[in-house]
Tab-separated table of all heavy atoms in Angstrom:
chain	number	residue	atom	x	y	z
A	2	GLU	N	-61.679	-231.738	-79.117
A	2	GLU	CA	-62.844	-231.668	-78.200
A	2	GLU	C	-63.810	-232.885	-78.400
A	2	GLU	O	-64.274	-233.392	-77.373
A	2	GLU	CB	-63.606	-230.378	-78.501
A	2	GLU	CG	-64.771	-230.147	-77.513
A	2	GLU	CD	-65.430	-228.816	-77.705
A	2	GLU	OE1	-65.121	-228.129	-78.732
A	2	GLU	OE2	-66.343	-228.498	-76.995
A	3	GLU	N	-64.093	-233.241	-79.604
A	3	GLU	CA	-65.030	-234.308	-79.826
A	3	GLU	C	-64.595	-235.620	-79.186
A	3	GLU	O	-65.348	-236.377	-78.639
A	3	GLU	CB	-65.236	-234.593	-81.306
A	3	GLU	CG	-66.163	-233.531	-82.004
A	3	GLU	CD	-65.476	-232.223	-82.324
A	3	GLU	OE1	-64.337	-232.092	-81.886
A	3	GLU	OE2	-66.093	-231.423	-83.051
A	4	VAL	N	-63.242	-235.844	-79.214
A	4	VAL	CA	-62.663	-237.113	-78.559
A	4	VAL	C	-62.847	-236.925	-77.063
A	4	VAL	O	-63.142	-237.837	-76.395
A	4	VAL	CB	-61.207	-237.199	-79.035
A	4	VAL	CG1	-60.538	-238.418	-78.283
A	4	VAL	CG2	-61.128	-237.432	-80.500
A	5	ARG	N	-62.493	-235.744	-76.476
A	5	ARG	CA	-62.594	-235.579	-75.003
A	5	ARG	C	-64.030	-235.857	-74.594
A	5	ARG	O	-64.216	-236.415	-73.473
A	5	ARG	CB	-62.230	-234.077	-74.628
A	5	ARG	CG	-60.790	-233.761	-74.875
A	5	ARG	CD	-60.403	-232.544	-74.077
A	5	ARG	NE	-61.265	-231.374	-74.311
A	5	ARG	CZ	-61.054	-230.564	-75.274
A	5	ARG	NH1	-60.102	-230.751	-76.172
A	5	ARG	NH2	-61.898	-229.504	-75.446
A	6	LEU	N	-65.021	-235.395	-75.410
A	6	LEU	CA	-66.388	-235.577	-74.920
A	6	LEU	C	-66.902	-236.972	-75.078
A	6	LEU	O	-67.941	-237.381	-74.530
A	6	LEU	CB	-67.296	-234.568	-75.747
A	6	LEU	CG	-67.113	-233.097	-75.499
A	6	LEU	CD1	-67.926	-232.307	-76.473
A	6	LEU	CD2	-67.395	-232.714	-74.027
A	7	THR	N	-66.160	-237.845	-75.937
A	7	THR	CA	-66.767	-239.148	-76.287
A	7	THR	C	-65.993	-240.257	-75.634
A	7	THR	O	-66.565	-241.252	-75.160
A	7	THR	CB	-66.759	-239.311	-77.835
A	7	THR	OG1	-67.480	-238.170	-78.441
A	7	THR	CG2	-67.472	-240.636	-78.267
A	8	VAL	N	-64.616	-240.220	-75.666
A	8	VAL	CA	-63.807	-241.313	-75.205
A	8	VAL	C	-63.320	-241.080	-73.840
A	8	VAL	O	-62.878	-239.948	-73.443
A	8	VAL	CB	-62.579	-241.384	-76.161
A	8	VAL	CG1	-61.689	-242.578	-75.823
A	8	VAL	CG2	-63.042	-241.453	-77.621
A	9	THR	N	-63.470	-242.116	-73.025
A	9	THR	CA	-62.925	-242.025	-71.570
A	9	THR	C	-61.534	-242.161	-71.491
A	9	THR	O	-60.793	-242.725	-72.351
A	9	THR	CB	-63.629	-243.110	-70.786
A	9	THR	OG1	-63.191	-244.394	-71.184
A	9	THR	CG2	-65.133	-243.104	-70.823
A	10	ASN	N	-60.921	-241.483	-70.461
A	10	ASN	CA	-59.447	-241.595	-70.238
A	10	ASN	C	-59.070	-242.627	-69.213
A	10	ASN	O	-58.056	-242.588	-68.530
A	10	ASN	CB	-59.012	-240.222	-69.774
A	10	ASN	CG	-59.078	-239.156	-70.790
A	10	ASN	OD1	-59.233	-239.471	-71.968
A	10	ASN	ND2	-58.971	-237.918	-70.458
A	11	THR	N	-59.946	-243.731	-69.110
A	11	THR	CA	-59.682	-244.746	-68.167
A	11	THR	C	-59.557	-246.080	-68.906
A	11	THR	O	-60.029	-246.180	-70.005
A	11	THR	CB	-60.809	-244.837	-67.094
A	11	THR	OG1	-62.088	-245.134	-67.821
A	11	THR	CG2	-60.936	-243.570	-66.358
A	12	ASP	N	-58.918	-247.011	-68.323
A	12	ASP	CA	-58.688	-248.314	-68.854
A	12	ASP	C	-58.493	-249.357	-67.790
A	12	ASP	O	-57.933	-249.046	-66.817
A	12	ASP	CB	-57.511	-248.314	-69.870
A	12	ASP	CG	-57.273	-249.671	-70.539
A	12	ASP	OD1	-58.273	-250.374	-70.806
A	12	ASP	OD2	-56.148	-250.019	-70.701
A	13	ASP	N	-59.005	-250.545	-68.023
A	13	ASP	CA	-58.793	-251.673	-67.085
A	13	ASP	C	-58.016	-252.803	-67.948
A	13	ASP	O	-58.673	-253.566	-68.583
A	13	ASP	CB	-60.081	-252.157	-66.560
A	13	ASP	CG	-59.974	-253.318	-65.594
A	13	ASP	OD1	-58.773	-253.679	-65.293
A	13	ASP	OD2	-60.915	-253.830	-65.052
A	14	PRO	N	-56.736	-252.896	-67.784
A	14	PRO	CA	-55.981	-253.911	-68.602
A	14	PRO	C	-56.204	-255.282	-68.189
A	14	PRO	O	-55.852	-256.185	-68.875
A	14	PRO	CB	-54.483	-253.493	-68.347
A	14	PRO	CG	-54.566	-252.019	-67.751
A	14	PRO	CD	-55.819	-251.945	-67.019
A	15	THR	N	-56.937	-255.517	-67.051
A	15	THR	CA	-57.238	-256.907	-66.541
A	15	THR	C	-58.460	-257.430	-67.192
A	15	THR	O	-58.573	-258.730	-67.063
A	15	THR	CB	-57.329	-256.859	-65.003
A	15	THR	OG1	-58.525	-256.048	-64.738
A	15	THR	CG2	-56.170	-256.252	-64.431
A	16	LEU	N	-59.199	-256.718	-67.930
A	16	LEU	CA	-60.378	-257.238	-68.546
A	16	LEU	C	-60.050	-258.297	-69.608
A	16	LEU	O	-59.168	-257.957	-70.513
A	16	LEU	CB	-61.225	-256.159	-69.216
A	16	LEU	CG	-61.999	-255.159	-68.379
A	16	LEU	CD1	-62.647	-254.115	-69.227
A	16	LEU	CD2	-63.032	-255.834	-67.550
A	17	PRO	N	-60.594	-259.477	-69.505
A	17	PRO	CA	-60.254	-260.495	-70.492
A	17	PRO	C	-60.848	-260.193	-71.963
A	17	PRO	O	-62.002	-259.736	-71.953
A	17	PRO	CB	-60.913	-261.715	-69.919
A	17	PRO	CG	-62.021	-261.280	-69.153
A	17	PRO	CD	-61.678	-259.940	-68.574
A	18	VAL	N	-60.102	-260.392	-72.965
A	18	VAL	CA	-60.581	-260.079	-74.320
A	18	VAL	C	-60.489	-261.371	-75.199
A	18	VAL	O	-61.351	-261.636	-76.066
A	18	VAL	CB	-59.834	-259.021	-75.009
A	18	VAL	CG1	-60.123	-257.635	-74.314
A	18	VAL	CG2	-58.367	-259.219	-75.039
A	19	TRP	N	-59.555	-262.226	-74.814
A	19	TRP	CA	-59.272	-263.474	-75.617
A	19	TRP	C	-60.150	-264.654	-75.058
A	19	TRP	O	-59.649	-265.626	-74.590
A	19	TRP	CB	-57.749	-263.833	-75.668
A	19	TRP	CG	-57.229	-264.427	-76.866
A	19	TRP	CD1	-56.670	-265.611	-76.971
A	19	TRP	CD2	-57.197	-263.845	-78.131
A	19	TRP	NE1	-56.286	-265.819	-78.271
A	19	TRP	CE2	-56.526	-264.766	-79.016
A	19	TRP	CE3	-57.607	-262.571	-78.672
A	19	TRP	CZ2	-56.378	-264.474	-80.389
A	19	TRP	CZ3	-57.354	-262.236	-79.949
A	19	TRP	CH2	-56.712	-263.226	-80.890
A	20	THR	N	-61.514	-264.384	-75.126
A	20	THR	CA	-62.349	-265.331	-74.379
A	20	THR	C	-63.084	-266.284	-75.378
A	20	THR	O	-63.208	-266.035	-76.547
A	20	THR	CB	-63.431	-264.600	-73.571
A	20	THR	OG1	-64.243	-263.816	-74.514
A	20	THR	CG2	-62.719	-263.601	-72.619
A	21	PHE	N	-63.662	-267.352	-74.809
A	21	PHE	CA	-64.488	-268.182	-75.675
A	21	PHE	C	-65.724	-267.403	-76.162
A	21	PHE	O	-66.050	-267.644	-77.315
A	21	PHE	CB	-65.005	-269.381	-74.678
A	21	PHE	CG	-66.081	-270.200	-75.467
A	21	PHE	CD1	-65.755	-271.164	-76.399
A	21	PHE	CD2	-67.435	-270.018	-74.991
A	21	PHE	CE1	-66.713	-271.899	-77.009
A	21	PHE	CE2	-68.370	-270.763	-75.685
A	21	PHE	CZ	-68.081	-271.717	-76.655
A	22	ARG	N	-66.273	-266.579	-75.409
A	22	ARG	CA	-67.452	-265.791	-75.888
A	22	ARG	C	-67.056	-264.954	-77.109
A	22	ARG	O	-67.793	-264.896	-78.028
A	22	ARG	CB	-67.945	-264.891	-74.790
A	22	ARG	CG	-68.542	-265.622	-73.563
A	22	ARG	CD	-69.092	-264.656	-72.529
A	22	ARG	NE	-68.034	-263.761	-72.062
A	22	ARG	CZ	-67.738	-263.538	-70.756
A	22	ARG	NH1	-68.390	-264.242	-69.854
A	22	ARG	NH2	-66.830	-262.626	-70.448
A	23	MET	N	-65.908	-264.301	-77.023
A	23	MET	CA	-65.474	-263.479	-78.083
A	23	MET	C	-65.304	-264.275	-79.420
A	23	MET	O	-65.744	-263.882	-80.448
A	23	MET	CB	-64.171	-262.709	-77.740
A	23	MET	CG	-63.698	-261.684	-78.761
A	23	MET	SD	-62.858	-262.292	-80.273
A	23	MET	CE	-61.412	-262.895	-79.567
A	24	TRP	N	-64.609	-265.476	-79.301
A	24	TRP	CA	-64.389	-266.269	-80.482
A	24	TRP	C	-65.753	-266.829	-80.941
A	24	TRP	O	-65.920	-266.860	-82.210
A	24	TRP	CB	-63.442	-267.448	-80.086
A	24	TRP	CG	-61.972	-266.978	-80.100
A	24	TRP	CD1	-61.195	-266.817	-79.039
A	24	TRP	CD2	-61.221	-266.772	-81.257
A	24	TRP	NE1	-59.979	-266.458	-79.423
A	24	TRP	CE2	-59.946	-266.352	-80.873
A	24	TRP	CE3	-61.434	-266.740	-82.634
A	24	TRP	CZ2	-58.945	-265.985	-81.722
A	24	TRP	CZ3	-60.477	-266.373	-83.536
A	24	TRP	CH2	-59.183	-266.036	-83.060
A	25	PHE	N	-66.515	-267.389	-80.086
A	25	PHE	CA	-67.781	-267.950	-80.536
A	25	PHE	C	-68.733	-266.909	-81.222
A	25	PHE	O	-69.130	-267.157	-82.304
A	25	PHE	CB	-68.473	-268.555	-79.302
A	25	PHE	CG	-69.877	-269.057	-79.688
A	25	PHE	CD1	-70.055	-270.246	-80.359
A	25	PHE	CD2	-70.997	-268.395	-79.201
A	25	PHE	CE1	-71.370	-270.704	-80.753
A	25	PHE	CE2	-72.284	-268.865	-79.513
A	25	PHE	CZ	-72.474	-270.063	-80.274
A	26	LEU	N	-68.989	-265.770	-80.526
A	26	LEU	CA	-69.869	-264.812	-81.052
A	26	LEU	C	-69.220	-263.989	-82.280
A	26	LEU	O	-69.898	-263.662	-83.170
A	26	LEU	CB	-70.228	-263.794	-80.006
A	26	LEU	CG	-71.160	-264.313	-78.884
A	26	LEU	CD1	-71.384	-263.225	-77.855
A	26	LEU	CD2	-72.427	-264.859	-79.403
A	27	GLY	N	-67.919	-263.899	-82.240
A	27	GLY	CA	-67.206	-263.249	-83.335
A	27	GLY	C	-67.275	-264.049	-84.582
A	27	GLY	O	-67.618	-263.495	-85.709
A	28	LEU	N	-66.866	-265.357	-84.497
A	28	LEU	CA	-66.966	-266.209	-85.713
A	28	LEU	C	-68.394	-266.330	-86.219
A	28	LEU	O	-68.603	-266.340	-87.394
A	28	LEU	CB	-66.381	-267.561	-85.355
A	28	LEU	CG	-64.896	-267.581	-85.134
A	28	LEU	CD1	-64.437	-268.939	-84.521
A	28	LEU	CD2	-64.044	-267.393	-86.422
A	29	LEU	N	-69.316	-266.553	-85.261
A	29	LEU	CA	-70.722	-266.698	-85.659
A	29	LEU	C	-71.231	-265.392	-86.320
A	29	LEU	O	-71.874	-265.502	-87.407
A	29	LEU	CB	-71.554	-266.961	-84.450
A	29	LEU	CG	-73.093	-267.113	-84.636
A	29	LEU	CD1	-73.361	-268.348	-85.604
A	29	LEU	CD2	-73.769	-267.261	-83.293
A	30	SER	N	-70.936	-264.212	-85.797
A	30	SER	CA	-71.432	-262.995	-86.366
A	30	SER	C	-70.770	-262.708	-87.698
A	30	SER	O	-71.399	-262.235	-88.747
A	30	SER	CB	-71.021	-261.753	-85.437
A	30	SER	OG	-71.621	-261.975	-84.203
A	31	CYS	N	-69.393	-263.022	-87.842
A	31	CYS	CA	-68.775	-262.887	-89.114
A	31	CYS	C	-69.393	-263.770	-90.203
A	31	CYS	O	-69.692	-263.309	-91.274
A	31	CYS	CB	-67.309	-263.185	-88.950
A	31	CYS	SG	-66.315	-262.975	-90.445
A	32	ALA	N	-69.584	-265.008	-89.868
A	32	ALA	CA	-70.260	-265.999	-90.776
A	32	ALA	C	-71.613	-265.600	-91.118
A	32	ALA	O	-72.017	-265.514	-92.348
A	32	ALA	CB	-70.190	-267.372	-90.185
């Protein structure tokens, strides 16, 4: 039940994840 109330059952596989923003902010945040 907790998962049903919190997590959506939808997804957009076209959303970009391997982006410059992800790398730049990810590396910066990690450092």
Side-chain angles (χ1 to χ4, degrees):
E2 183 179 4
E3 283 82 350
V4 176
R5 292 199 308 275
L6 294 174
T7 307
V8 183
T9 63
N10 292 346
T11 59
D12 178 36
D13 183 359
T15 64
L16 287 177
V18 295
W19 215 241
T20 64
F21 169 78
R22 294 182 303 234
M23 189 280 290
W24 279 107
F25 174 72
L26 292 177
L28 290 168
L29 179 64
S30 300
C31 181

